[in-house]
């Protein structure tokens, strides 16, 4: 049975979960929903609906104006337990590419083959020769079918040998191996894995430390998946992007990269009701309601809502990711108001009581 753990705390110092180091970190500031213009009752409605309709929720954190106003974990998940991100990892790999570009180590219009002279096929096709870093970022590398690399001894060689029937930049095909190639390129030009490259530039400034990131047989961060973070780490990443790359007065990510990465770079469908048909950026999905997100298999989300100045982090294990997002739009989107709401201790107590009841009975 699902059980629920809810915490709302003041700014505190905690011990980092990493098995490699013990480091103190600063948590995000906390506030109450009404103080940040959000209704406690509507947050409660979201939690109840998500608990009943999503099989199964693992965690939820809501930020408004940079402050945590609601947070919850379904046992055995907890605040200090890293969670697999699956393809939400891709947005972190994109960030590494953006930083490498800013440092002059590569250009997004560089040709992919330039980085792998020893791994290229003997007679590369014209489409393969035309493939750019930009095409990897936008999932328009030119493949019709995604490479199945599980039995391949060398992932980059297998990618470059895979047929490229479409002109790069013209055909959207969600492509996890393409993200792996971005990771491999970053490692080529920096001499570090994406995880190690991001550690002093992103993870440490955000108070995340050095997380686990699975690697390929060649020792390269998988890039397209394999990263493990806590819910609050996901929320921090979303808040950093919401703040256009700035954190505590420091520009961690170039604002121009944030703009490019989260804007619609390519079309990926025409269904107005699907959050997977709103356009794709640089390893970020555009969403309905003016939002954008990183997301991963089974319902891992980092949702950024610029118009509402809000971030939503969710981890889960569900087969219906659209239904999970629909609950966000139906229950949380109407809860945001432009001004602080009157203090409502009764509704705050109801929210607390609802969570305590779930903890006791589910």
């Amino acid at each position: 049975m699902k059980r629920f753990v809810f915490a709302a705390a003041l700014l505190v110092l905690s011990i980092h979960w990493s098995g490699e180091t013990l480091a103190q970190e600063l948590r995000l500031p906390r506030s109450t929903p009404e103080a940040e213009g959000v209704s406690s009752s509507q947050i409660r409605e979201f939690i109840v609906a998500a608990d009943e309709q999503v099989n199964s929720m693992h965690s939820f954190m809501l930020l408004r104006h940079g402050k945590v106003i609601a947070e919850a974990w379904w046992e055995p998940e907890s605040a200090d337990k890293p969670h697999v991100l699956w393809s939400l990892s891709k947005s972190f790999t994109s960030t590494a590419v953006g930083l490498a570009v800013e440092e002059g180590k590569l250009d997004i219009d560089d040709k992919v083959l330039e980085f792998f002279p020893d791994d290229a096929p003997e007679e590369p096709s014209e489409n393969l020769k035309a493939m750019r870093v930009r095409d990897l970022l936008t999932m328009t590398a030119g493949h019709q079918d995604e490479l199945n690399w599980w039995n391949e001894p060398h992932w980059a060689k297998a990618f470059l040998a895979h047929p490229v029937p479409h002109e790069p930049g013209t055909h959207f095909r969600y492509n996890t191996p393409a993200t792996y190639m971005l990771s491999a390129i970053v490692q080529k030009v920096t001499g570090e894995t994406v995880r190690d490259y991001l550690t002093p530039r992103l993870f440490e400034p955000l108070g995340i430390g050095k997380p686990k990131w699975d690697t390929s047989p060649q020792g390269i961060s998988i890039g397209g998946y394999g990263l493990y973070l806590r819910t609050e780490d996901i929320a921090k990443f979303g808040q950093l992007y919401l703040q256009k790359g700035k954190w505590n007065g420091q520009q961690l990510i170039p604002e121009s990269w944030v703009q490019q990465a989260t804007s619609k770079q390519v079309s990926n469908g025409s269904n107005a009701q699907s959050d997977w048909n709103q356009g794709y950026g640089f390893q970020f999905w555009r969403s309905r309601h003016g939002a954008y997100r990183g997301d991963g298999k089974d319902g891992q989300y980092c949702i950024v809502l610029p118009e509402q100045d809000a971030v939503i982090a969710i981890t889960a294990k569900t087969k219906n990711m659209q239904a999970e997002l629909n609950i966000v739009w139906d229950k949380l989107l109407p809860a945001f108001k432009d001004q602080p709401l009157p203090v409502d201790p009764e509704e705050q107590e109801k929210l607390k009581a609802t969570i305590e009841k779930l903890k006791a009975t589910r």
Side-chain angles (χ1 to χ4, degrees), residues 1 129 264 280 328 336 362:
M1 301 293 288
K129 289 190 285 187
K264 180 180 177 179
Y280 196 76
V328 171
F336 298 109
R362 294 186 67 85

Side-chain angles (χ1 to χ4, degrees), residues 234-255:
I234 299 169
K236 287 177 180 178
F237 181 68
Q239 186 65 32
L240 173 65
Y241 266 81
L242 179 61
Q243 294 169 180
K244 299 180 179 180
K246 186 171 287 188
W247 193 263
N248 291 335
Q250 181 183 2
Q251 195 73 42
L252 299 185
I253 310 169
E255 183 175 342

Side-chain angles (χ1 to χ4, degrees), residues 8-83:
L10 297 174
L11 192 63
V12 298
L13 289 172
S14 63
I15 301 298
H16 196 269
W17 51 263
S18 172
E20 299 183 12
T21 61
L22 288 176
Q24 285 192 324
E25 68 173 62
L26 201 62
R27 298 176 71 207
L28 289 164
R30 266 62 178 172
S31 185
T32 62
E34 278 72 22
E36 308 307 325
V38 184
S39 164
S40 290
S41 65
Q42 288 174 285
I43 294 176
R44 178 168 57 89
E45 288 178 8
F46 166 80
I47 289 173
V48 171
D51 183 62
E52 292 177 347
Q53 299 174 33
V54 178
N55 184 22
S56 57
M57 287 284 288
H58 288 178
S59 71
F60 160 68
M61 183 172 283
L62 173 60
L63 275 62
R64 185 87 195 281
H65 306 322
K67 299 174 183 177
V68 178
I69 60 172
E71 51 189 313
W73 287 266
W74 281 253
E75 292 184 354
E77 306 303 323
S78 64
D80 291 329
K81 182 179 178 181
H83 195 283

Side-chain angles (χ1 to χ4, degrees), residues 95-96 99 103 105 186 190 192-211 240 247 250-253:
T95 302
L99 292 172
E103 293 176 5
K105 298 182 183 298
V186 170
T190 67
E192 298 178 281
T193 65
V194 164
R195 185 197 71 161
D196 291 346
Y197 180 68
L198 286 178
T199 294
R201 295 166 176 81
L202 181 75
F203 295 136
E204 288 179 353
L206 294 184
I208 295 175
K210 184 177 284 188
L240 173 65
W247 193 263
Q250 181 183 2
Q251 195 73 42
L252 299 185
I253 310 169

